[in-house]
Each structure stands twice: as C-alpha cells, then as structure tokens.
Amino acid sequence: MDAKMGSDHDRSGSLTQTDVTVLAETFRLLGDPSRLRIVLCCLERPIAVSDIAQRLDLSVSLVSHHLRLLRAARLLKGVRQSRQIFYEVADEHISHMLQDMASHITEDHPAD
C-alpha cells in the first residue's frame, strides 16, 4: 500500500462522531434530486439563481431555498457581481467527488 492510501485511511479512521454526523448530513442534502441537480449545474461555471431555475425548470424561490441549505453545508458558495449572486461549487473536493461519482455510475460494470 502506498503512503497516500495509508494517509487517506488514517484520515477517514480518525473522524470524530461529529465529523461522521456532518458527513452523513452532507450526503443527505445531496440525496435530494433537486439539490443534486443544482450542485451539478454549478459545476460547469458560476451561475445565477434565475438561470439555475430556468435550466432546471424549478421556481426561483425553491432554488433559493435549496441554495441556502447548500451554502450552509459549504457545498456551494455565492459570489456577488453587481446586483446578482452567482453560485459555484465551494471547492475542488466537492467537484472531484461529484465528477468521480458521475464517472462511476456511467461506466460499464460487469454483472455480479
């Protein structure tokens, strides 16, 4: 086993109960299809609330509600430009995790 794998294992094994609870809540938030679609929409580039709503065929108020939850969980961040706020994925960890999971579900898997 290489040193990187060992350090990843050590890190995940040292999560506190609070860390595990926060991680579970993060996955619960992403388990909602609308919220997941919003986060995926923000992967490509910063995007305004109204554009997210239009692209996903959701109301602006519903998108705003989901964005508040996603920002509170540090999954997304908002950047104000003039009178609008543009949302984007908070950091590369979120981006990589979602891209890796998307690759995982779309690749061919042999039947067990």
Side-chain angles (χ1 to χ4, degrees):
M1 173 160 66
D2 66 42
K4 183 176 182 205
M5 285 184 66
S7 66
D8 286 347
H9 175 70
D10 295 341
R11 186 176 9 177
S12 65
S14 65
L15 292 176
T16 66
Q17 184 59 45
T18 301
D19 294 336
V20 171
T21 300
V22 170
L23 186 59
E25 177 64 14
T26 300
F27 282 116
R28 187 190 69 76
L29 283 170
L30 291 172
D32 177 88
S34 292
R35 283 192 288 267
L36 181 58
R37 290 173 60 215
I38 290 168
V39 175
L40 292 170
C41 194
C42 295
L43 275 177
E44 299 168 15
R45 59 181 165 70
I47 185 168
V49 177
S50 57
D51 294 334
I52 296 169
Q54 181 180 6
R55 185 169 173 188
L56 301 179
D57 196 27
L58 299 170
S59 71
V60 170
S61 62
L62 180 60
V63 170
S64 294
H65 169 73
H66 286 311
L67 287 169
R68 276 191 297 279
L69 296 173
L70 294 165
R71 284 180 66 190
R74 298 181 319 146
L75 296 170
L76 295 180
K77 63 182 177 182
V79 177
R80 182 171 293 280
Q81 292 182 9
S82 178
R83 298 178 71 188
Q84 286 190 308
I85 298 176
F86 289 80
Y87 292 89
E88 59 188 329
V89 176
D91 60 43
E92 288 185 11
H93 298 106
I94 303 303
S95 178
H96 288 252
M97 187 253 325
L98 290 172
Q99 290 172 351
D100 287 348
M101 290 306 295
S103 293
H104 171 73
I105 64 165
T106 58
E107 67 186 23
D108 289 334
H109 294 280
D112 290 335

